[in-house]
Structure formats: structure tokens, C-alpha cells
Amino acid sequence: MLQELQNTFVNEVEVIRDMFTLMDTDKDGKVTHEELKTGLQKVGLQLAEAEVKMLMEADVDGNGFLDYAEFAAVTIHLQKLENDEHLWRAFIFYDKDGSEYIDLVELRQALADMPLSTHLFSLMALPESLSQKWKELMGMACSKQLQPHEYSSGLHH
């Protein structure tokens, strides 16, 4: 288990480093606003100018560039938001009647619609942090305690 976590961490660090290298086109160890904008387009993200400016706010030392540490921090934050958004979309998908609860009937229907093996494999494939959030979400939903405004910290924007 520990080796698996280390491998995951190393892989994530390598992906962030590779993204930084891709975006740092002049290889000066910093990513400018233009390099960030162009780099995001290269990886298929078409962000509005205001969104690119918001990402540049990770420039905590105010020098006008993102160094590797600042870039890594904003990348990790974006990954967390993406994971949370997936959870939110799953909640909305399973809340068939729009009651802002996933009741037992909706949960049974969701589980009945997919083979058990698929359900188990999909849960096992989730990263540990996401898997734990999913378990929390499902536990609260089954006990009719979950409402989006109560569990929306980071899940709904």
C-alpha cells in the first residue's frame, strides 16, 4: 500500500513537472501569463482571459510569473476542484427527483442499473481521497442527511 501511494505521488509530481516544462517555452524556470495561456491551449483547455488571470493570482510573490512551486500549487488546487466537480455531478445524476437528497429508492435504482462488478471496480479505481469522499457522500445520502448546501464545501461552485 505504501509503495502504491509513493508511486501515485511520484507520478503526479512528474505530470506537474512535465506540464510546467511544456508551458515554460523559453526555459527560464518561470511561466508568464502568455506562456500559461498558450500552454493551456496546447493541452486542450480554452479558458477565458479572466480565468487565466485568476490562475496567475497564484503568483504569491508578485513578480509577474509562476515559478515551479506556484505552478504546482495552482495545478494541485485545480485537480482538487475537478475531483470535487465529478462528485457533485454524480450527486446530481443520482438525485433523480431533484429533492436534493439521494434516497434509498434512488440509490437502489442506481445500483440496479449497473452490474455489481462494475460498481465495485469503479469504487476501487477511485483515488483514496475521492473514494473516501464518495463513501461519506453515499453514507450521508442513505441516511437522508445529505443536502447539497450541507456538503457543498468544494463540491459545488
Side-chain angles (χ1 to χ4, degrees), residues 14-151:
E14 287 175 0
V15 167
I16 292 171
R17 186 187 64 233
D18 291 347
M19 285 181 59
F20 183 82
T21 302
L22 172 76
M23 292 188 189
D24 181 20
T25 55
D26 62 4
K27 307 300 179 214
D28 64 353
K30 334 177 237 197
V31 174
T32 66
H33 178 272
E34 281 306 311
E35 287 174 320
L36 180 63
K37 186 176 177 179
T38 303
L40 291 169
Q41 290 171 347
K42 282 182 186 177
V43 296
L45 295 173
Q46 301 295 326
L47 299 182
E49 183 63 27
E51 293 171 313
V52 176
K53 284 182 181 178
M54 186 177 71
L55 293 177
M56 286 300 295
E57 289 176 8
D59 174 24
V60 292
D61 60 11
N63 65 2
F65 306 99
L66 296 180
D67 61 27
Y68 179 75
E70 293 165 333
F71 181 85
V74 76
T75 302
I76 291 167
H77 177 71
L78 289 173
Q79 289 172 341
K80 180 190 176 310
L81 290 177
E82 183 179 339
N83 287 343
D84 290 349
E85 185 64 28
H86 287 293
L87 284 174
W88 179 248
R89 287 182 184 168
F91 177 87
I92 297 298
F93 178 79
Y94 290 113
D95 180 23
K96 299 289 187 190
D97 63 5
S99 66
E100 298 190 349
Y101 289 99
I102 299 174
D103 61 32
L104 197 51
V105 172
E106 291 167 325
L107 185 58
R108 281 187 186 138
Q109 182 61 46
L111 294 175
D113 289 346
M114 73 173 71
L116 180 59
S117 60
T118 302
H119 177 67
L120 293 176
F121 285 126
S122 67
L123 285 178
M124 289 184 339
L126 290 174
E128 183 60 31
S129 62
L130 196 53
S131 178
Q132 183 58 38
K133 284 184 180 180
W134 180 255
K135 289 174 189 171
E136 259 179 60
L137 179 96
M138 294 288 39
M140 292 170 69
C142 289
S143 64
K144 286 203 95 166
Q145 296 175 359
L146 180 62
Q147 290 188 312
H149 68 275
E150 296 170 333
Y151 194 70

Side-chain angles (χ1 to χ4, degrees), residues 1-11:
M1 178 71 168
L2 181 59
Q3 184 62 41
E4 210 173 289
L5 288 173
Q6 288 173 332
N7 290 343
T8 300
F9 177 74
V10 168
N11 289 341

